[in-house]
Amino acid sequence: MATFQLKAEKCPVESLSMTNCVILNPRDCPDEKCRHVLINSSGRGYVFTIQTSDQMKPGCMGFSLIMRKWAEMSIGQMIDVRPYAFDPNSQYIAKITVDIDFFDKKHFTQEPFDTDKMAIAFVQAFPKQAFTVGQLMVFQFNKTLFKLSITELETVSLDSLKDGEKRKPAKKTEIGLLLPDAAVCFNKAEGANIMLTGQSKGKIVRQSIINPDWNFSQMGIGGLDNQFNAIFRRAFASRVYPPELIEQLGMKHVRGILLYGPPGTGKTLMARQIGQMLNGREPKIVNGPQILNKYVGESEANVRKLFEDAEEEQKRLGLNSGLHIIIFDEIDAICKQRGTMSGASGVHDTVVNQLLSKIDGVDSLNNVLVIGMTNRRDMIDEALLRPGRLEVQMEIGLPDEFGRVQILNIHTGKIKKSGKLDPDVKIEELAAITKNFSGAELEGLVRAAQSLAMNRLIKAGSKVVLDPEAADKLKVMRADFLSALENDVKPAFGTAAEEIESLVGPKVINWSQTVKEIIDDGALFIEQCKSNKGRGLVTVLLEGPPNAGKTALAAKIALNSGFPFVKLCSAAQMIGYSESAKCQCIKKIFDDAYKSTESCILVDNIERLLDFVAVGPRFSNMVLQTLLILLGQDPPKNRHLLVLCTSSCKAFLNEIGMLTVFTAVLRVPAISRPEQFMSVLQHSECFSREDLQRISKGIAGMRIYIGIKKLLACTHLAEQIAPEERVNKFLTRLENEECISHQ
C-alpha cells in the first residue's frame, strides 16, 4: 500500500493518550483491515497500532506526549505513514519485559504493587498491540499512572501454537505483536521507588550486604569467633535474603546490637569491624557523651540527626533502602535507667525516649542497625533491651587460652614477619600464663616486651646513646615477656597475688592434723567448684577463735585453687564507707568475679564487714542482706565461683541466719595441747634446742589456749630479747596474757 503523509498533533482527549495507539480520523484510515502503521521520524521507523476517532482532525495523526518523546517528533511535523503487517512466524510476542516507574516521581507511594495482577491488566489494556524494544509508554493500574520502557521482546511462531505442537524456544526480536496469553515481566527502573511483589517481577540485581573485598580471616579479632558468628546469625543473615522474601515471611530485621563486657575485651574493635564488613553506608560513630547538650531540646535533636539520612532513604526506596549503621560507644552515658538521675532536668530520660522512638516507635525504621557498647549493662534502661530494639545482647568476655593465642599472634605478627621475635618465645606458653588478660592487656604486654628489648640497646650515661647496630641486634625475647608480666602488666581481673600471699605469710605451719584436714578439705571444695555437675558455686566458712589462723588457711586454699581470678574482700578496704557504698563495693567484687570462668573471693573477718559489736549488739542489716543475696546467688552459666569466708563469731552468724547459706563450715581451733605448742616453736626457729627443752618443762601440766597468730607474734617479740632472758620473759608474757595458766 502506498505511503501517505499526515501532520503530527496531540491526542484530542486524554483518555485516548492512555491507549498507547496513534489516533486517526476514520476518513484517513487507509484500509478497514489496517491495524498498524509504520511512520518515519528523524530518519528512523516506528511501528504503532491504530485507533480511530471522529474527534481527530482529518489529515492529522494524534500522538501522546510520551510517544512524541520516544519518536523524537514535534507537533505540526509532517510524517510519512504506510500500513504495516506482522509476520506470524517471527513477530508474535510470547514474553515482554518492561522497566516500570511512577509517571510522576514527586507523587509516589510505598504500597506494594502485585505484578501478577499488573500483568493481567497490561494484556487486557493493550490487546494485539505493536511494541518495540526501547518504546516508552504509559500504563494505568489501580488509579496510579506508570511510565513503562520496553526492554526485551521474545517471540514465537503462531502456527506452532495453533497446531498444539511443543512450543519452540522463543527468539528475541526488536518489534512484535502482543499475544493474549503473553507473559509480562516487570522490572524496577533504575532509581525507581516502586515496590513490586508477585511472580511477574524480574530478578533484581542487588548489591551484596557483605563487602566483596572483605576477608574474614584477616579481621584482626582474636578469640571472638563464636561471638561474631552468633552476631552474624542473628543480625545479618536475614539481610542477605531479598527484601521480598523477608516481606513474605512477615519478618523484621534486627535493628540493634548491644556489646557488653569488661574493658579492653574488643567491643569497639568488634563494632568497627562490623562496620567495615557490611556493604552499607559509612557507619556513624558517636560517643555517648557527645549527644548531651546543655541547651533544652538539643540532646534530642542530636539523636534525631543521626537517623535523618535513614528516614529519608526509607521514604524514598522502602524495602530496597541501604543499611545505615549507627555505633554508640559508651551508650550507658545517655541511656541510663529513666527516673534514676538526680535533678529536675530529665535530659537523660528524654534522650532515652527519643532513641526508643527512632529504633522501634510508631514510624520505626527497618534500614537501621544500632550498635551499642558498654561496660555497665546493668545501668542501661530496660526498655532499650527488649526485642525490637537492642535485642541481640552479646557478652564480649575475657578470652580463653585459644583466644589469647590468636590475640598474641595478631600483635606479634609484624615482629615475626620482620624477624625480630626470638625463637625462644612460645606464644602457647605466654597464652597459658596470661590467664584473665583482656585483649588490650595482651597488646600492652607485647608493647612492654618491645620496650624492654629496645632498652637493652640504649646506653644511659651522661648522654643517651643508641647502639649503632641496634636495628640488626634488636630481638624481643622470652625474658622480655616474663619481665613485663612480673613488673609492668597486671590483669585487671587477675589474682591479687601479693595481697593474698601477705595473708599467708612465709608459710603455713602444719602444727596439727586439723590443719592438714582443713587444707585437704579445701582441695575437695576446689574440685567441687570446678565440676560442671553442680551449681558452680561453693561457699565455705572458716570459723574459730581470734588469732587461730583462719585468714592464713583461707588464703592458702585460695592460692592452691590456681583460679585466674582471686580477690580479697575485707573491711580494711572499706574504712569510712557508708552502708550503701559498702554494698556497692562488695557487689562489684562479685560482678568482677562473674566475668572470669573460675574465680575465688576471700571475705575476711565477715563480722567486721557487718559492723558487729558485742556491746549493743549492733550490725548493718543492709550489708547483711547484700551478703546473703550474693552468697546464695548462682554465678552465670559456665562460670565457677568459690567463696571463702572467715569469722570469729559463729554464734552471731547463726543468730542472724547466715550459717545456712554456706556449703560447709570448717572449725579452725586454737592451740590447746603442749605438743601443738612446741611444734609451732620448732617451726619458728626462734629458740635453741636447750631453750625448747626449758619451755617444754615450763608448760608441763599447764592449761594452754592460744591462737597460732598470737603465738607467732610472741615468738617474734622474743627474738628481740637477750638469749639468757628469752625463755623466762617469753613464758611470763604468755602467763600475763592468760594464754597459759596453771590448772
Side-chain angles (χ1 to χ4, degrees):
M1 192 173 289
T3 301
F4 57 97
Q5 284 193 329
L6 293 172
K7 184 169 68 172
E9 290 289 346
K10 296 180 181 179
C11 285
V13 291
E14 184 178 352
S15 59
L16 291 175
S17 66
M18 305 293 294
T19 61
N20 193 44
C21 297
V22 293
I23 311 301
L24 289 177
N25 188 284
R27 287 183 291 176
D28 293 327
C29 189
D31 186 350
E32 291 183 359
K33 296 183 179 180
C34 178
R35 298 197 67 248
H36 313 285
V37 293
L38 172 67
I39 68 171
N40 289 313
S41 175
S42 302
R44 182 181 168 191
Y46 299 90
V47 177
F48 290 103
T49 300
I50 297 173
Q51 183 166 331
T52 59
S53 172
D54 293 331
Q55 294 177 302
M56 194 70 223
K57 295 179 183 179
C60 298
M61 179 176 281
F63 294 87
S64 66
L65 173 64
I66 200 165
M67 294 167 71
R68 296 197 305 272
K69 181 179 179 181
W70 173 55
E72 300 179 353
M73 66 176 64
S74 57
I75 294 175
Q77 178 181 336
M78 297 303 295
I79 52 177
D80 295 330
V81 182
R82 67 181 179 87
Y84 183 86
F86 283 92
D87 183 356
N89 293 319
S90 62
Q91 289 187 309
Y92 278 74
I93 299 172
K95 180 179 180 183
I96 180 171
T97 304
V98 300
D99 284 352
I100 185 169
D101 194 3
F102 292 105
F103 187 80
D104 185 357
K105 291 191 176 184
K106 293 181 180 179
H107 298 88
F108 60 87
T109 176
Q110 287 300 316
E111 292 295 324
F113 291 91
D114 189 336
T115 54
D116 297 329
K117 294 180 179 179
M118 291 175 72
I120 296 172
F122 183 90
V123 174
Q124 292 175 347
F126 310 114
K128 298 183 179 180
Q129 281 200 19
F131 290 99
T132 306
V133 173
Q135 179 178 346
L136 300 178
M137 58 181 292
V138 291
F139 170 55
Q140 189 171 27
F141 177 76
N142 287 352
K143 299 182 180 180
T144 303
L145 199 59
F146 299 98
K147 181 174 73 173
L148 305 183
S149 173
I150 312 301
T151 58
E152 188 176 277
L153 298 175
E154 295 183 15
T155 58
V156 293
S157 169
L158 186 60
D159 293 336
S160 66
L161 296 175
K162 288 180 179 179
D163 297 339
E165 298 177 3
K166 185 177 180 181
R167 178 174 289 190
K168 297 179 181 179
K171 297 180 181 180
K172 292 183 180 180
T173 187
E174 290 295 314
I175 300 176
L177 186 68
L178 187 66
L179 289 175
D181 61 345
V184 184
C185 182
F186 293 91
N187 286 328
K188 282 178 57 176
E190 185 177 355
N193 300 328
I194 189 172
M195 293 175 58
L196 302 176
T197 61
Q199 302 298 318
S200 297
K201 65 180 186 300
K203 293 184 178 179
I204 302 173
V205 179
R206 295 182 179 86
Q207 192 178 35
S208 173
I209 189 174
I210 306 299
N211 192 330
D213 298 327
W214 182 253
N215 187 340
F216 283 89
S217 63
Q218 298 178 0
M219 290 173 59
I221 303 179
L224 298 178
D225 295 347
N226 293 336
Q227 291 89 334
F228 189 84
N229 290 336
I231 289 173
F232 188 88
R233 173 180 60 84
R234 289 293 311 280
F236 304 124
S238 65
R239 296 184 184 271
V240 175
Y241 285 89
E244 292 81 7
L245 177 60
I246 301 302
E247 185 184 16
Q248 291 172 12
L249 296 175
M251 184 178 181
K252 291 184 178 180
H253 296 302
V254 167
R255 303 189 189 106
I257 301 172
L258 180 68
L259 305 177
Y260 67 94
T265 51
K267 299 183 294 297
T268 304
L269 176 62
M270 173 79 81
R272 191 183 302 127
Q273 295 290 4
I274 289 173
Q276 293 178 6
M277 175 195 75
L278 298 179
N279 205 10
R281 307 295 181 272
E282 185 72 20
K284 295 179 180 178
I285 303 176
V286 58
N287 292 321
Q290 291 178 352
I291 295 293
L292 302 178
N293 192 298
K294 65 179 180 179
Y295 295 108
V296 175
E298 286 299 312
S299 299
E300 297 89 321
N302 289 338
V303 173
R304 289 194 294 272
K305 288 176 184 176
L306 295 173
F307 293 85
E308 282 180 353
D309 294 342
E311 286 179 328
E312 186 276 329
E313 188 169 323
Q314 175 149 311
K315 287 180 181 177
R316 186 163 46 85
L317 299 179
L319 287 175
N320 296 291
S321 171
L323 180 63
H324 294 254
I325 303 171
I326 303 173
I327 299 174
F328 284 94
D329 201 4
E330 305 299 339
I331 194 173
D332 54 281
I334 60 170
C335 293
K336 291 183 173 63
Q337 292 277 354
R338 285 172 288 183
T340 60
M341 296 298 294
S342 59
S345 66
V347 172
H348 285 83
D349 292 0
T350 55
V351 170
V352 174
N353 294 337
Q354 184 69 77
L355 190 59
L356 291 176
S357 66
K358 286 298 179 185
I359 299 177
D360 189 29
V362 176
D363 297 322
S364 60
L365 301 173
N366 208 30
N367 62 341
V368 165
L369 180 65
V370 176
I371 303 176
M373 293 166 288
T374 181
N375 303 328
R376 298 294 306 275
R377 178 175 176 268
D378 57 297
M379 294 178 64
I380 296 178
D381 192 271
E382 292 180 356
L384 200 63
L385 303 180
R386 74 156 176 77
R389 290 162 184 172
L390 300 184
E391 64 177 279
V392 178
Q393 297 157 34
M394 187 62 58
E395 180 180 8
I396 309 299
L398 298 170
D400 57 13
E401 187 169 333
F402 177 73
R404 293 195 294 274
V405 170
Q406 288 184 319
I407 295 170
L408 287 169
N409 279 326
I410 290 169
H411 293 303
T412 58
K414 288 187 177 180
I415 313 175
K416 290 179 183 176
K417 191 174 180 180
S418 60
K420 300 299 182 184
L421 190 67
D422 196 270
D424 68 348
V425 177
K426 306 297 182 187
I427 298 299
E428 290 75 12
E429 178 194 11
L430 293 175
I433 60 178
T434 51
K435 293 181 179 179
N436 275 24
F437 272 67
S438 67
E441 288 162 346
L442 290 171
E443 183 182 6
L445 172 65
V446 174
R447 282 200 304 268
Q450 290 171 329
S451 67
L452 288 170
M454 296 170 73
N455 192 58
R456 282 199 306 271
L457 301 175
I458 297 176
K459 299 175 183 178
S462 57
K463 294 183 179 180
V464 177
V465 180
L466 179 64
D467 190 324
E469 299 179 358
D472 298 326
K473 292 181 179 179
L474 182 63
K475 287 277 187 181
V476 182
M477 305 174 69
R478 177 176 179 271
D480 297 323
F481 282 97
L482 297 180
S483 178
L485 275 172
E486 184 176 352
N487 303 310
D488 296 332
V489 184
K490 301 291 182 183
F493 299 95
T495 303
E498 296 179 359
E499 193 175 21
I500 302 296
E501 287 171 358
S502 67
L503 299 177
V504 179
K507 59 182 177 179
V508 172
I509 299 174
N510 193 357
W511 53 268
S512 168
Q513 179 64 21
T514 305
V515 175
K516 183 178 182 302
E517 290 174 356
I518 291 173
I519 294 177
D520 290 343
D521 287 343
L524 293 177
F525 293 132
I526 292 169
E527 293 304 316
Q528 179 185 356
C529 182
K530 290 180 179 180
S531 173
N532 293 322
K533 295 182 179 179
R535 299 168 54 193
L537 174 68
V538 176
T539 54
V540 181
L541 174 67
L542 284 78
E543 63 85 20
N547 301 317
K550 302 181 293 297
T551 302
L553 287 172
K556 180 66 175 176
I557 294 171
L559 292 175
N560 288 346
S561 69
F563 288 173
F565 181 92
V566 179
K567 196 75 171 180
L568 175 65
C569 176
S570 70
Q573 300 168 330
M574 307 175 201
I575 295 175
Y577 281 24
S578 64
E579 283 188 312
S580 59
K582 275 188 179 181
C583 295
Q584 289 296 326
C585 185
I586 295 170
K587 184 176 184 301
K588 185 180 184 305
I589 291 173
F590 276 79
D591 286 343
D592 290 348
Y594 295 149
K595 293 170 184 174
S596 175
T597 53
E598 295 177 340
S599 306
C600 177
I601 299 175
L602 173 52
V603 183
D604 189 28
N605 218 346
I606 199 168
E607 62 271 15
R608 294 283 73 79
L609 277 175
L610 295 171
D611 294 332
F612 170 72
V613 289
V615 180
R618 177 184 174 275
F619 67 93
S620 169
N621 186 56
M622 184 183 292
V623 177
L624 170 63
Q625 298 304 323
T626 300
L627 285 171
L628 288 175
I629 291 170
L630 294 175
L631 290 173
Q633 177 178 282
D634 290 352
K637 188 178 180 181
N638 298 325
R639 301 286 197 274
H640 304 273
L641 176 61
L642 172 64
V643 184
L644 303 171
C645 301
T646 67
S647 175
S648 301
C649 303
K650 179 183 177 183
F652 163 66
L653 298 183
N654 187 40
E655 286 181 12
I656 61 177
M658 198 169 190
L659 286 183
T660 57
V661 302
F662 293 105
T663 307
V665 178
L666 301 180
R667 173 73 179 177
V668 182
I671 295 170
S672 58
R673 296 166 58 185
E675 60 270 22
Q676 297 171 348
F677 188 92
M678 295 308 299
S679 175
V680 175
L681 296 186
Q682 288 172 3
H683 282 91
S684 68
E685 299 178 355
C686 174
F687 298 97
S688 64
R689 182 178 298 178
E690 293 76 11
D691 290 341
L692 291 174
Q693 291 175 353
R694 290 176 58 193
I695 293 172
S696 179
K697 290 179 181 180
I699 63 172
M702 299 186 75
R703 185 184 68 83
I704 301 172
Y705 193 82
I706 183 173
I708 185 172
K709 185 177 179 181
K710 179 71 173 177
L711 181 55
L712 289 175
C714 291
T715 59
H716 295 156
L717 178 62
E719 289 180 344
Q720 317 306 319
I721 304 173
E724 61 273 10
E725 301 178 0
R726 183 173 297 171
V727 173
N728 291 333
K729 288 193 174 184
F730 174 70
L731 293 175
T732 301
R733 183 173 183 81
L734 291 178
E735 282 192 67
N736 292 338
E737 297 191 12
E738 298 182 352
C739 297
I740 59 175
S741 59
H742 293 282
Q743 295 183 353

